[in-house]
Amino acid sequence: MLEKIIALDQELFLYLNNLGSSTWDPFWLLITDKWTSIPLYAILLYLIYRNFGLKGTLLSIVMVALLIASTDQLANVFKHGFQRPRPCGQDGVMEYARFIAVRCGRYGYFSAHASSSMGLAIFMSLILDKYYKHLTSLLMIWVILVTYSRIYVGVHYPLDVLTGGLFGALLGYLFYKIHCYLMGYFNLAS
């Protein structure tokens, strides 16, 4: 059963990865670059400050930092625990894939990019939802772009990004609940 899932994952990866072309490569390399999201983070920081004030913003920054650290470290535990080679380093896959990323890395299950971006999107959507009606939709589009970019550049299988997204969503919700509790505890809720 597991072998069939892995084979389907590899087949879906090759299909999605090979949809790419040299025309679109610069766009997807830009999307997958971690520094590209800095303007989005700045906007989110402003929205938090605008609605929660300085103390609420500081608490939110701490929560986001802990959330990102959690998703990243959990991904590392899984990567070293499962030791599933990335597609760009997997015999029988890398020969047929388009690898355009800057580097390959060793193990890929699961994607820290997918996990942290989904975690952040869920967390921000939940804390800011009552203030900004369309924020969740915009953040989900961002998550889809970031997670697909990992397949496009050749460093993650679809199951890597789906699992990362699931863990990110769970952690994003957990940190949202902690955030709500702490906002109430410190009397910072608006």
Side-chain angles (χ1 to χ4, degrees), residues 40 44 47 117-145 169 176:
L40 173 65
L44 291 172
L47 295 177
S117 60
M118 179 63 88
L120 182 66
I122 294 296
F123 178 79
M124 289 296 175
S125 294
L126 290 171
I127 69 169
L128 294 171
D129 184 54
K130 70 180 182 180
Y131 306 106
Y132 306 101
K133 185 174 151 182
H134 300 291
L135 183 64
T136 300
S137 300
L138 294 172
L139 289 174
M140 287 303 122
I141 291 168
W142 171 68
V143 168
I144 290 167
L145 289 171
Y176 160 72

Side-chain angles (χ1 to χ4, degrees), residues 67 115 118-119 122 163-176:
L67 169 62
S115 186
M118 179 63 88
I122 294 296
T163 305
L166 177 63
F167 276 102
L170 292 171
L171 287 170
Y173 181 75
L174 174 66
F175 277 85
Y176 160 72

Side-chain angles (χ1 to χ4, degrees), residues 8-186:
L8 285 171
D9 197 28
Q10 290 174 342
E11 193 174 310
L12 183 58
F13 165 77
L14 288 171
Y15 173 77
L16 294 172
N17 173 263
N18 281 292
L19 290 175
S21 70
S22 58
T23 304
W24 285 97
D25 291 353
F27 171 76
W28 290 107
L29 284 168
L30 182 68
I31 294 295
T32 207
D33 189 315
K34 63 184 174 183
W35 301 110
T36 301
S37 297
I38 288 177
L40 173 65
Y41 302 153
I43 291 168
L44 291 172
L45 183 62
Y46 169 74
L47 295 177
I48 291 170
Y49 178 74
R50 182 174 172 193
N51 292 287
F52 297 119
L54 181 59
K55 291 180 182 177
T57 300
L58 293 174
L59 174 65
S60 299
I61 290 170
V62 169
M63 297 305 309
V64 167
L66 291 171
L67 169 62
I68 300 304
S70 298
T71 58
D72 188 58
Q73 292 310 305
L74 187 59
N76 285 335
V77 167
F78 269 71
K79 285 175 184 176
H80 294 288
F82 283 92
Q83 296 185 353
R84 182 182 187 196
R86 291 178 183 259
C88 49
Q90 176 73 53
D91 289 334
V93 175
M94 64 182 179
E95 298 86 1
Y96 305 103
R98 298 180 72 251
F99 175 67
I100 62 164
V102 177
R103 62 182 192 84
C104 182
R106 194 165 180 192
Y107 303 123
Y109 185 78
F110 60 84
S111 169
H113 272 79
S115 186
S116 60
S117 60
M118 179 63 88
L120 182 66
I122 294 296
F123 178 79
M124 289 296 175
S125 294
L126 290 171
I127 69 169
L128 294 171
D129 184 54
K130 70 180 182 180
Y131 306 106
Y132 306 101
K133 185 174 151 182
H134 300 291
L135 183 64
T136 300
S137 300
L138 294 172
L139 289 174
M140 287 303 122
I141 291 168
W142 171 68
V143 168
I144 290 167
L145 289 171
V146 168
T147 56
Y148 176 69
S149 75
R150 305 308 288 163
I151 297 168
Y152 186 98
V153 301
V155 295
H156 280 293
Y157 290 105
L159 193 55
D160 299 347
V161 298
L162 287 174
T163 305
L166 177 63
F167 276 102
L170 292 171
L171 287 170
Y173 181 75
L174 174 66
F175 277 85
Y176 160 72
K177 295 304 269 182
I178 296 168
H179 183 268
C180 289
Y181 172 77
L182 293 174
M183 290 289 280
Y185 182 81
F186 292 114

